[in-house]
């Protein structure tokens, strides 16, 4: 595959998944510009590696995995922008602000698990694959995250 | 997605406005490390080329002087220096011919340098002679479009047009918008934009060839009007059931095609297509530049390596003589004719014919004569700069063909692989639509787009008059902006306008039929000469719902986008913002629709 086709594929993936990926990265970084950076990095990797996918869903799963990795390494670096996102910037209501406060008290892994489960609708098994851990662990993270956020949802883990 | 505190919050997280734009730039710019010596080299090449042109042009300017001084000295032998036959010279403008000659002579080294530059910067290359022209100069041609405006039902109750399933208008527009180019108004064909997209539940579920449908809704840009959505969907043939193909690929290899986004893209697109051919298919390849050449004759479709070896070996140089190539391609198509199969000539070109039959009238005659043989034509346009949209569209129209513009490998995949059935397998030919409006309900109407597809009312039933072609699974959508008659209600819009009684000798009595309009469609099966008629009554209760409503919203948003781009006098309150919001509000956006959103935001930002 030549450069032009790889570029076209990466651009298509950008247009296709930008919102999902930025929201996912936000759940980890809790900061919009950091989230955008991570997604950008993931797309650069996509263009460089140009992996072949059987379906559009596996493309998305790959991008999610890479975005999560970028978020992890971003959180590890000492130089990362420590600016706090102002809740008003995203048009947050009072309820949202309390959710944001609760999210801040959780480790990133828990937040991303919540996001993949509730927002992207992945199953525990799939989340475990994406986060490279065991389904039981994902269940625990999800449970704690849910308690912290006081989400009284069905407990069918 | 579940609804809870968390998902409600996550829904509010939006990437910044310029996120997509910035990321696109970043992706593009990854290998943009320009070596310092490269610009210097390019300008050097340009200077060298200019000097060469001067050297070539000067003798011709002074040619008359040379002829006058008949001192017995032999006149400089101009013919020996050039590949151009002398008879062409007499009619042609000296400058043009000199450029042509320069192009074919200086070609190799020069274009190699340009090509290298293109690859490096990831930008489309100008045509080689573009280096002689001032920056921003281009010689693209589009035919002028005059919008038809509103028609009074009392005086013209019938609206007749040939369908248009070409998508070239939209892909050319996309390329121009993405590159930040200016858009010539006449390059914007709204019906092609609308028909680029896929609509739901419009194709026949039973065995019939075509399904007609219609729906009514309000008009977002004109509160006094309603919208009438008319659609025809062709049956979808499964890939494995497609008849054997006899394809003749007619590739333009003239000098102007020498650029990665022209011949380069042609090769890569063909590689995608040839991969999907079967042993029962036949492929021939004809090239044309100054002269036509048969490169490959009747090869079985599964001999991928053999076919692609020939295609990959193609080089572009010389001037263009499209006529002979077309004649040769049709000859081969007839030679390998598959009865009941898909016999088709596929032209791949930038459309820049400059020698041979170049007047549109003669080309049309040639193509119309050729289509009697039962061979269909597809036109694939490539490249920018000297792209002749008007010629290409007309060729496809007259030759029972389809026309697509390939701006990227992604578009090639869409046209030549994913929608191969629709692009290259005709299900119905000479498709025409006629709508009769009921004056009890409708005061006036306006067909959006289809300006160059309008037919005379009497041509509808005339089977000798050409219509448009529909491929497997194609859908065609037309939108009418309809002003209701006084006190009549269409899609919740009540007519207020008093009846226009300009006619002195006509009196009208109500027919009493509770229909807004009748939509009629004529088509021929691919191998028949007699048309079949089908019709559908549009009744006041046909308000768009469910999938129909989504179809209508999408089509009307695209119409708004197109009218705003064209700055149409009929645009009313249409705006980029409104079009954007409508598309954004649709459920489960497809890739194409997401891209449309991006294009609208790009157009708005300009």
């Amino acid at each position: 595959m030549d450069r032009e086709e790889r570029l076209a594929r990466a651009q298509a993936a950008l247009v296709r998944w930008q919102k999902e990926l930025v929201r996912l990265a936000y759940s980890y970084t809790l900061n919009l510009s950091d989230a955008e950076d991570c997604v950008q990095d993931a797309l650069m990797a996509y263009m460089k590696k140009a992996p072949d996918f059987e379906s559009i869903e596996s493309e998305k799963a790959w991008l999610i995995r890479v975005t999560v990795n970028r978020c992890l390494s971003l959180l590890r670096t000492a130089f990362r922008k420590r600016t706090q996102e102002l809740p008003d910037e995203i048009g947050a209501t009072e309820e949202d602000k309390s959710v944001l406060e609760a999210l801040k008290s959780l480790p990133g892994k828990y937040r991303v698990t919540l996001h993949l489960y509730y927002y992207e609708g992945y199953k525990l098994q799939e989340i475990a694959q994406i986060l490279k851990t065991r389904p039981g662990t994902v269940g625990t993270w999800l449970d704690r995250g849910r308690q912290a956020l006081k989400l009284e949802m069905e407990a069918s883990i | 997605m579940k609804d809870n505190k968390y998902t409600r919050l996550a829904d509010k997280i939006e990437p910044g406005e310029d996120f997509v734009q910035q990321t696109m730039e970043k992706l593009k710019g990854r290998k943009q490390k320009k070596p310092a010596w490269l610009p210097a080299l390019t300008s050097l090449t340009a200077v060298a080329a200019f000097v060469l042109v001067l050297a070539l042009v000067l003798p011709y300017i002074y040619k008359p002087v040379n002829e006058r001084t008949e001192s017995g000295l032999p006149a400089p032998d101009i013919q020996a220096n050039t590949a151009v036959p002398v008879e062409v010279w007499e009619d042609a403008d000296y400058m043009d011919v000199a450029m042509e000659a320069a192009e074919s002579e200086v070609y190799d080294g020069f274009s190699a340098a340009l090509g290298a530059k293109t690859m490096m910067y990831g930008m489309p290359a100008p045509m080689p002679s573009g280096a002689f022209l001032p920056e921003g100069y281009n010689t693209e041609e589009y035919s002028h479009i005059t919008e038809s405006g509103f028609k009074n039902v009392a005086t013209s109750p019938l609206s007749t047009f040939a369908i248009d399933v070409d998508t070239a208008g939209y892909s050319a527009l996309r390329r121009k918008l993405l590159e930040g180019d200016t858009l010539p108004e006449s390059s914007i064909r709204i019906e092609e934009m609308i028909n680029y997209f896929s609509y739901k539940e419009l194709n026949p579920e039973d065995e019939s060839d075509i399904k007609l449908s219609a729906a009514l809704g309000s008009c977002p840009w004109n509160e006094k009007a309603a919208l009438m959505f008319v659609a025809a969907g062709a049956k979808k043939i499964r890939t494995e059931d497609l008849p054997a193909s006899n394809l003749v690929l007619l590739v333009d290899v003239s000098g102007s095609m020498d650029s990665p986004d022209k011949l380069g893209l042609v090769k890569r697109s063909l590689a995608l297509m040839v991969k999907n051919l079967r042993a029962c298919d036949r492929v021939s390849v004809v090239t044309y530049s100054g002269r036509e050449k048969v490169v490959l004759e009747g090869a079985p479709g599964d001999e991928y390596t053999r076919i692609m070896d020939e295609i990959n070996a193609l080089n572009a140089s010389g001037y263009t003589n499209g006529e002979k190539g077309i004649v040769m391609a049709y000859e081969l198509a007839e030679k390998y004719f598959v009865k009941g199969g898909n016999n088709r000539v596929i032209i791949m070109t930038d459309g820049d014919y400059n020698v041979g039959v170049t007047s549109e009238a003669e080309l049309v005659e040639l193509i119309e004569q050729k289509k009697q043989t039962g061979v269909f034509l597809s036109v694939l346009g490539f490249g920018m700069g000297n792209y002749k949209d008007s010629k290409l569209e007309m060729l496809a129209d007259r030759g029972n063909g389809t026309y697509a513009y390939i701006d990227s490998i992604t578009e090639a995949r869409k046209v030549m692989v994913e929608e191969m059935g629709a692009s290259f397998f005709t299900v119905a030919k000479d498709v025409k639509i006629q709508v009769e409006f009921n004056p009890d309900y409708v005061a006036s109407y306006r067909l959006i787009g289809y300006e160059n597809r309008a037919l005379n009312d009497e041509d509808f039933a005339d089977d000798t008059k050409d219509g448009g072609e529909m491929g497997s699974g194609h859908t065609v959508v037309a939108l009418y902006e309809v002003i209701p008659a006084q006190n009549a209600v269409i899609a919740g819009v009540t007519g207020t306008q008093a009846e226009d009684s300009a006619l002195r000798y006509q009196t009208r009595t109500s027919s009493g039929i509770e229909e807004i309009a009748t939509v009629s469609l004529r088509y021929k099966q691919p191998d028949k000469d007699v048309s079949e008629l089908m019709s559908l009554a549009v009744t006041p209760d046909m308000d768009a719902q469910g999938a129909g409503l989504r179809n209508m919203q999408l089509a009307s948003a695209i119409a708004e986008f197109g009218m705003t781009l064209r700055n149409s006098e009929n645009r009313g309150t249409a705006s980029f913002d409104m079009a954007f919001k409508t598309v954004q509000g649709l459920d489960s956006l497809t890739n194409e629709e997401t891209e449309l959103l991006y294009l609208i935001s790009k157009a708005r930002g300009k």
Side-chain angles (χ1 to χ4, degrees):
Chain A
M1 207 185 315
D2 63 12
R3 203 190 108 82
E4 199 187 319
E5 184 167 3
R6 282 188 284 127
L7 175 65
R9 282 183 51 183
Q11 287 179 336
L14 162 70
V15 174
R16 198 179 292 139
W17 303 123
Q18 46 141 335
K19 279 192 188 167
E20 282 90 341
L21 292 177
V22 167
R23 283 171 191 164
L24 168 85
Y26 185 88
S27 79
Y28 225 132
T29 61
L30 292 181
N31 176 307
L32 193 58
S33 64
D34 282 350
E36 288 182 351
D37 284 351
C38 291
V39 175
Q40 254 177 11
D41 285 350
L43 283 158
M44 298 291 262
Y46 182 74
M47 178 157 163
K48 197 171 161 192
K49 289 226 168 80
D52 239 340
F53 298 110
E54 279 167 16
S55 71
I56 208 150
E57 280 308 314
S58 43
E59 176 188 78
K60 183 179 174 185
W62 190 91
L63 281 166
I64 284 183
R65 172 75 221 150
V66 178
T67 307
V68 169
N69 277 343
R70 300 286 149 167
C71 292
L72 272 173
S73 52
L74 183 84
L75 293 194
R76 267 190 227 113
T77 49
F79 299 107
R80 116 181 162 88
K81 292 166 245 170
R82 291 258 171 214
T83 50
Q84 281 290 329
E85 185 96 339
L86 296 172
D88 291 337
E89 279 178 19
I90 53 168
T93 60
E94 285 308 313
E95 183 192 87
D96 294 335
K97 282 176 193 162
S98 70
V99 175
L100 273 172
E101 281 307 313
L103 282 173
K104 269 185 215 160
S105 68
L106 287 172
K109 278 179 196 167
Y110 289 35
R111 294 198 294 261
V112 92
T113 308
L114 276 174
H115 186 87
L116 290 171
Y117 184 81
Y118 282 111
Y119 196 80
E120 293 290 350
Y122 281 111
K123 298 196 173 64
L124 291 194
Q125 187 71 39
E126 292 163 334
I127 299 175
Q129 274 171 14
I130 292 173
L131 299 180
K132 291 198 179 131
T133 181
R134 284 174 296 115
T137 317
V138 175
T140 315
W141 290 351
L142 191 59
D143 208 33
R144 289 185 193 154
R146 193 153 50 197
Q147 300 224 328
L149 258 70
K150 297 201 175 57
L151 290 175
E152 285 110 27
M153 309 294 295
E154 75 285 278
S156 60
I157 300 177
Chain B
M1 194 174 75
K2 291 152 188 159
D3 180 52
N4 60 35
K5 283 182 199 169
Y6 179 74
T7 54
R8 281 196 293 273
L9 169 68
D11 255 341
K12 290 185 184 144
I13 311 296
E14 294 278 341
E17 271 181 16
D18 47 358
F19 174 67
V20 170
Q21 182 67 38
Q22 274 179 8
T23 313
M24 290 251 178
E25 296 303 321
K26 205 169 166 190
L27 287 171
K28 258 191 228 167
R30 191 162 173 86
K31 284 188 182 160
Q32 270 194 5
K33 284 173 194 136
K34 309 173 192 174
W37 49 267
L38 199 76
L41 182 79
T42 348
S43 53
L44 255 177
T45 335
V47 170
F50 184 65
V51 170
L52 248 163
V53 171
L54 264 188
L56 281 160
V57 172
L58 281 176
Y60 308 139
I61 294 175
Y62 289 110
K63 185 179 167 190
V65 184
N66 286 339
E67 280 168 359
R68 256 181 269 127
T69 58
E70 288 179 30
S71 56
L73 285 168
D77 187 2
I78 300 154
Q79 289 170 44
N81 288 337
T82 67
V84 185
V86 78
E87 58 268 26
V88 185
W89 289 75
E90 280 158 16
D91 306 336
D93 186 289
Y94 278 158
M95 194 65 186
D96 281 355
V97 182
M99 281 206 182
E100 193 73 55
E103 196 179 311
S104 48
E105 285 205 8
V106 194
Y107 214 62
D108 285 329
F110 181 47
S111 58
L114 271 175
K117 174 186 163 203
T118 309
M119 297 310 243
M120 203 71 82
Y121 295 175
M123 301 230 307
M127 58 181 280
S129 55
F132 308 125
L133 301 168
E135 204 183 331
Y137 182 95
N138 81 45
T139 57
E140 295 181 2
E141 280 175 20
Y142 298 92
S143 5
H144 183 68
I145 296 174
T146 317
E147 286 191 25
S148 43
F150 278 94
K151 287 196 173 145
N152 190 328
V153 177
T155 51
S156 38
L158 292 175
S159 162
T160 313
F161 61 95
I163 59 139
D164 185 356
V165 292
D166 299 343
T167 55
Y170 183 76
S171 21
L173 170 119
R174 169 177 58 199
R175 177 166 175 168
K176 294 212 160 230
L177 272 178
L178 289 179
E179 282 171 8
D181 255 357
T182 49
L183 285 163
E185 277 180 22
S186 47
S187 72
I188 301 159
R189 291 190 288 271
I190 296 176
E191 76 278 9
E192 294 194 12
M193 294 169 66
I194 293 178
N195 286 324
Y196 181 89
F197 292 84
S198 18
Y199 298 88
K200 294 196 166 97
E201 297 172 17
L202 295 181
N203 297 95
E205 289 108 39
D206 50 12
E207 287 302 295
S208 50
D209 293 327
I210 289 186
K211 177 179 155 189
L212 261 183
S213 37
L216 300 165
S218 56
C219 178
W221 60 85
N222 181 354
E223 58 181 20
K224 287 187 180 138
L227 275 185
M228 186 168 109
F229 177 96
V230 175
K235 71 173 169 199
K236 199 164 171 58
I237 309 172
R238 286 182 308 165
T239 320
E240 53 270 30
D241 296 340
L242 289 171
S245 292
N246 157 34
L247 302 177
V248 180
L249 310 173
L250 178 58
V251 186
D252 180 349
V253 291
S254 63
S256 63
M257 287 291 285
D258 186 73
S259 123
D261 69 334
K262 293 184 181 176
L263 192 58
L265 190 53
V266 167
K267 289 178 183 175
R268 282 179 291 136
S269 310
L270 283 177
L272 290 178
M273 189 185 85
V274 173
K275 235 180 241 169
N276 289 294
L277 295 179
R278 304 154 297 177
C280 61
D281 301 325
R282 289 285 167 276
V283 181
S284 309
V285 180
V286 180
T287 62
Y288 66 94
S289 53
R291 62 177 49 196
E292 69 287 0
K293 187 177 161 204
V294 179
V295 176
L296 190 69
E297 222 185 286
D302 58 347
E303 293 186 8
Y304 176 80
T305 324
R306 182 177 151 210
I307 302 172
M308 284 318 295
D309 278 352
E310 295 293 347
I311 289 171
N312 283 328
L314 299 179
N315 271 319
S317 70
Y319 54 98
T320 321
N321 189 345
E323 176 201 8
K324 288 204 173 141
I326 290 176
V327 174
M328 172 82 66
Y330 272 99
E331 271 172 21
L332 274 177
E334 284 166 56
K335 187 169 168 188
Y336 292 96
F337 199 87
V338 180
K339 233 177 160 210
N342 171 39
N343 299 284
R344 186 173 293 269
V345 170
I346 303 176
I347 302 186
M348 280 156 273
T349 179
D350 56 6
D352 200 359
Y353 297 104
N354 46 23
V355 180
V357 177
T358 50
S359 88
E360 294 204 353
E362 282 170 77
L363 257 179
V364 167
E365 204 176 306
L366 180 79
I367 295 280
E368 289 202 321
Q369 191 192 327
K370 288 294 168 196
K371 87 171 176 195
Q372 309 300 334
T373 58
V375 176
F376 288 88
L377 178 77
S378 287
V379 179
L380 302 179
F382 287 84
M384 277 277 172
N386 58 341
Y387 179 61
K388 298 290 185 278
D389 177 77
S390 51
K391 267 186 196 167
L392 297 183
E393 194 194 13
M394 179 210 53
L395 279 183
D397 278 2
R398 300 309 168 98
N400 274 352
T402 51
Y403 168 38
Y405 176 69
I406 311 287
D407 60 343
S408 64
I409 195 77
T410 326
E411 184 66 12
R413 200 186 292 278
K414 179 174 189 286
V415 173
M416 298 166 85
V417 181
E418 286 159 18
E419 294 174 6
M420 188 171 169
S423 311
F424 299 141
F425 290 87
T426 303
V427 170
K429 65 176 183 181
D430 287 341
V431 184
K432 304 168 199 171
I433 291 179
Q434 185 165 65
V435 179
E436 184 191 353
F437 289 94
N438 180 356
D440 287 352
Y441 278 93
V442 182
S444 58
Y445 64 88
R446 179 173 83 89
L447 173 60
I448 298 166
Y450 293 93
E451 287 87 358
N452 54 6
R453 301 292 173 132
L455 294 174
N456 295 330
D457 294 336
E458 63 274 18
D459 292 346
F460 180 65
D462 182 346
D463 283 349
T464 63
K465 290 286 190 293
D466 195 29
E469 274 59 49
M470 289 181 86
S472 157
H474 256 149
T475 53
V476 173
V477 169
L479 282 183
Y480 280 96
E481 192 176 339
V482 174
I483 309 269
Q486 194 168 24
N487 298 328
V489 181
I490 303 177
V493 183
T494 314
T496 50
Q497 203 178 334
E499 196 162 328
D500 185 1
S501 52
L503 299 175
R504 199 169 158 190
Y505 307 110
Q506 316 284 327
T507 46
R508 199 178 65 76
T509 47
S510 165
S511 63
I513 303 174
E514 291 195 357
E515 289 173 5
I516 291 168
T518 300
V519 181
S520 308
L521 179 144
R522 275 187 185 278
Y523 74 98
K524 297 175 197 159
Q525 296 194 333
D527 49 353
K528 300 266 170 57
D529 289 326
V530 182
S531 67
E532 292 172 43
L533 175 67
M534 52 202 299
S535 58
L536 172 78
V538 185
T539 51
D541 60 351
M542 286 167 80
D543 285 359
Q545 287 166 352
L549 183 62
R550 190 187 195 280
N551 287 343
M552 183 150 211
Q553 285 169 335
L554 175 61
S556 72
I558 301 166
E560 271 191 64
F561 179 38
M563 289 191 298
T564 315
L565 277 175
R566 291 193 57 174
N567 203 8
S568 157
E569 54 187 301
N570 296 308
R571 62 186 270 200
T573 58
S575 66
F576 291 133
D577 280 337
M578 245 175 31
F580 190 88
K581 281 196 187 116
T582 312
V583 180
Q584 206 177 25
L586 298 175
D587 52 35
S588 47
L589 289 184
T590 64
N591 292 343
E592 279 83 18
E593 289 156 6
T594 322
E595 186 184 62
L596 172 69
L597 270 183
Y598 176 59
L599 288 183
I600 299 176
S601 64
K602 185 104 185 167
R604 179 175 54 181
K606 259 170 86 170

